[in-house]
Structure formats: structure tokens, C-alpha cells
Amino acid sequence: MRTRRTIAVALAVIALTATAACGKEGSPNAEGGDSAAKLPTYAVKSDVKIASKALEDAKKNGKLIIGAKSDQPFLGFEDTSTGTRTGFDIEIAKMVAADLGFSPEQIDFKTINSANRETALKDGQIHLYVGTYTINDERKKSVGFAGPYYVAGQDLLVQKTNSDITGKDSVKGKNICSATGSTSVKRIKDLGGTTTEYDAYSLCVDKLLTGEVDGVTTDDAILKGFAAKNPNKLKVVGQPFSKEPYGVGMSKDDKALRDAVNDALKAHEDNGDWKKAYDATLGLSGAAAPEVPQLERY
Ligand code: GLU
């Protein structure tokens, strides 16, 4: 009896240890907040024929080069110790790549910040860009967009103790930090906020934590990730004041590629991958999956 119980206890310990080891891989990690265990995998299509110069170039080199963010938890985040990228944008990139015939191993992710996206696409440094990239008419003059695959809204991130920044009407005269080249920095200037600009939002968050700026502004989806990583110190105001439809950026006149990426988005939205990917990434920062936005094909 005692032996049997000892064996049972020993087995339970082994099971617990194994679960803990798995949990390390699959549970939200400290930085990127991704849940690898629940992430879908995407079947890679073969024999894809699309009349796109960018794709032909990618095929020839066996690498699809995708620009992304690397400091945005739950969206586009790179664990620099392992080089692993996680987040909703990264999943969107992987599902699109799979339908274009590229496995995750054949994606060459390049970190490109907000200010450098159009140049990177125009110069052909990257084939696609997936990184909280708002589709708008100004940008459409120089790049092409598939999507939207998500719609965010500009909001404000402040210290938890802050009570005087309550929304867009209270930013006048306040020192608000944002990223150069973003729609966020432009809008906050229009609203009369004094801006401090950096290349990336994580640098703004550092300055907010030390009290050197009064707030950080950008899309709520981005800010929620930072707040979730600093729950005792930071909060999102929660009064969004714009619509930021996220698109996959590419060369301006590559209609064949634009159509193919829209088809890929549609297929993965319809088969449930989009929702699964959302729940395992951006959903971890607290908001339930919204309705999938209507694609704006052009
Ligand atoms: N979505 C906004 C933009 O595309 C802000 C986020 C970002 O800078 O990526 O400008």
C-alpha cells in the first residue's frame, strides 16, 4: 500500500515537473507575453504563382523579408536573448507568408521603426511590413496596403497615480512622448501637446516610468501591452480618439501582391486562425477579440 502510494506521489511529482517545464515554453513569457502552446500553425502553400516582382525576388532567394516592430509587447516583440519574435503582428506575418509559400523559417524579420517604413518599402529593403501600420491616404501615395486586419485607436498611457490627463482634451501643455513618423505624434501636436519624440515607443515608456514625460501616446493596442507589463505603475486612460486601421504594407503598385495578401488575410480570418492568434497574443493584454474588420480592397 505504502509502496503504491509512494509510486503515486513520485508519478505526480514527475507530472508536475513536466507540466512546469512545458509551461515555461507555452505560458505568457515575461517580455513578449506570448502563448506558444495555443498559437495556430499555418499550412504553407506550394506552387504559388503570383505575378509580383517582390515575390519573385523573395522566391529566388528563398527568403521573404518582412519589416516589423520589436519592442511592442503582444504585437511585435523580439526576445533579444533568443531572437524569437512574438505577437499578433508576427502571427499575421506568418499566416500571410504561409499562403505566399514561405514557412516561418523562410521569413527574415527586420526591425523597422515607424519613421523608416515608407523608405524601407520604397527602396525594396523589405518585401512586406507588418507592424501597427495605419492605412491612410497620405501613406497610400507612397506604399500599398492590404487589410485592415485590426482597428486600433489612439490613446494615452500615464502613471497610475496621474489624475489630470483624462483624454485628448487634457494634453495641452503636457509633455507627451511618442514615436517619430507615427500618426500618433502628428495628432498629439495638433491637439497642443508638447512632444518628446523617440524612434520607438518603449523608449517613451522608460521616460514615463522615470517621470521625465507626463504621458505616452499611440494606439491603445500598443499601450495596453506596456500597461500589462507594468500593472502597478502604468495605466491606459481608455478614451481612444482616432481610428487606426492596421494594414500590411508593400510596394505601392504591386496589385498582384496586394490582392494575394488580402486573400490570405480573408482565408485565415474565415478559418479561425485570426481569432486563435489574437487570443494567444494581443488578447493577453486584456481585451477580448473584436469583430474582424472588413477588408478594403482597392
Ligand atoms: N498606428 C500608428 C501609425 O501607424 C501608430 C503606431 C506606430 O507608430 O506604428 O503611425
Side-chain angles (χ1 to χ4, degrees), residues 69 72 89 113-115 117-118 129 131-136 139 152 154 178-185 187 199 201 217-219 222 244-246:
K69 295 290 181 68
Q72 298 179 179
D89 281 334
N113 288 324
S114 300
R117 295 181 282 209
E118 287 83 34
Y129 188 89
T132 60
Y133 198 12
T134 295
I135 304 170
N136 63 30
R139 288 174 178 165
Q154 185 168 351
S178 196
T180 307
S182 64
T183 55
S184 326
V185 83
R187 195 169 291 105
D199 288 340
Y201 297 108
T217 191
T218 185
D219 304 337
I222 302 172
E244 309 292 329
Y246 288 172

Side-chain angles (χ1 to χ4, degrees), residues 149-151 274 288-294:
Y149 60 87
Y150 181 81
V151 182
W274 184 96
E291 287 287 304
V292 181
Q294 186 74 35

Side-chain angles (χ1 to χ4, degrees), residues 56-132:
E56 273 159 27
D57 172 71
K59 247 194 197 165
K60 204 172 66 206
N61 297 310
K63 284 268 172 225
L64 185 65
I65 308 171
I66 304 186
K69 295 290 181 68
S70 60
D71 68 329
Q72 298 179 179
F74 307 109
L75 277 161
F77 193 88
E78 183 180 17
D79 178 342
T80 44
S81 63
T82 61
T84 309
R85 298 206 182 228
T86 54
F88 189 55
D89 281 334
I90 303 302
E91 292 308 306
I92 294 289
K94 286 181 184 168
M95 54 182 93
V96 165
D99 281 25
L100 299 178
F102 295 84
S103 68
E105 294 71 37
Q106 291 173 306
I107 303 174
D108 187 1
F109 281 110
K110 274 200 172 11
T111 299
I112 310 257
N113 288 324
S114 300
N116 302 324
R117 295 181 282 209
E118 287 83 34
T119 308
L121 285 168
K122 274 196 295 188
D123 292 357
Q125 295 164 32
I126 52 177
H127 299 121
L128 295 173
Y129 188 89
V130 191
T132 60

